[in-house]
Amino acid sequence: RLESPWVQDTGLTTQIACPVRDLDPEGAGIPAKQVNLLDRTTWFALISAQEALEDAGFALAPHPDNRGSLFVDGVDPTRLGTQIGSGIGGVKTFEVSHAAWRESRSKNAVKRYSLPMLIPNAPAGQVAIRFGAKGECKAVCTACAAGTMAIGDAWRMLRRGDADVVLAGGTEGLALDHDGFALMGFDRLRTMSARNDEPQRASRPFDKLRDGFVLGEGAAVLVLEREEYAHARRARPYARVVGYASNCDAASMMQLDESGESIVALIRAALGAAAMSVSDVDHVNVHGTSTVSNDRTESLALRKVLAARYRDVTVTALKSMTGHAIGASGALETAALALSFRSGVLTPTINYDVPDPECDVNLVANRPREHRPRVALKLSYGFGGHNACLVLDAV
């Protein structure tokens, strides 16, 4: 529960969120001089990118020509790409800087670097600078589909031969108490849960008593490599991305096309890119926002596309445990899915108490389930009708 007076005293219907607390950016590897020059959305991206590179087995050393940057040993900088998604970007910087300007009408009250801190491409640019990545650097800004689309675009880069390694994922920093503008915006849209007295049980995808999502934040960055490159350096992959597709509902700025047909077409296109069929799929990591209409539409689409197999294919919604991290959500969920391939354990959808006949899918409910996927889908959708689907398989 958020205890900030800004939240408690302004009549917000939702007074809960899932923030990242007690983060020490300097202790997590961000140079001290840069901490106050970067928005927390960028903090998250930089920390996640460094963790991902180290986990992938890359040695990092101080860059010889760029103080404060790191050199990724063994990777041609011109063949190292960056694809980082964010739904909103540096909203904290925007909020604080704009408030200072309105109150003082003096430029001296506003941080000099507020503009390059708040723009949505700041995380992508800063990750590229930090790790000397001179290949294609792009920011994907497609709301809640941004992280998944960034990973999909990285896969396309690698298939075209435009890079050997790509840092790809999503980041969002908007859930702390004083980041009230984003909370207020979603509150006005009535998309968030009002289960203020039970915050730990508020996010409940596919449950009949669901009443909206819980705002989250964070980041996940994945290291994607050309398969030959990974083999040559004896990397140990978690999973393979083998297909990707994106499309648009072109129907509503906020709601999914309730027929589910765009999602059906999306899944078929992604499987086509992977040279696979629906019969190959045995697990789906869904968008699963815990909103009434979106969960119903997503369930309908899955039943349509999976047809007679819909009760055999397991389904899970990670947002039940993490909250909805907006542009970072798809990347976080893709990372969790990749870990399922490694561990042989599917993440559950918690808080599933009352089945909803309109959300009739084979949910991994409340407890993890031992199962190693063969082929899995990762689905994400964003305001504006942006839809994205990744296809992953076992290494």
Side-chain angles (χ1 to χ4, degrees), residues 149-177:
M149 286 189 168
I151 296 168
D153 284 352
W155 177 74
R156 286 174 172 169
M157 280 182 67
L158 294 167
R159 285 193 81 195
R160 292 194 306 263
D162 293 344
D164 294 323
V165 181
V166 185
L167 299 171
T171 185
E172 210 79 78
L174 42 63
L176 266 186
D177 300 19

Side-chain angles (χ1 to χ4, degrees), residues 61-118:
H63 198 286
D65 303 317
N66 192 351
R67 189 175 180 182
S69 295
L70 298 173
F71 180 76
V72 184
D73 189 38
V75 181
D76 179 350
T78 66
R79 303 280 297 168
L80 177 59
T82 311
Q83 300 275 355
I84 306 292
S86 179
I88 301 176
V91 66
K92 177 184 175 182
T93 296
F94 176 82
E95 182 184 358
V96 171
S97 297
H98 188 254
W101 168 248
R102 288 293 302 271
E103 290 172 8
S104 68
R105 287 298 182 187
S106 169
K107 67 179 183 180
N108 295 326
V110 180
K111 284 188 176 183
R112 181 183 177 189
Y113 294 104
S114 59
L115 181 62
M117 288 169 68
L118 66 88

Side-chain angles (χ1 to χ4, degrees), residues 17-35:
C18 189
V20 175
R21 293 192 183 276
D22 303 321
L23 175 66
D24 175 10
E26 188 177 346
I30 297 177
K33 291 183 178 180
Q34 294 184 17
V35 169

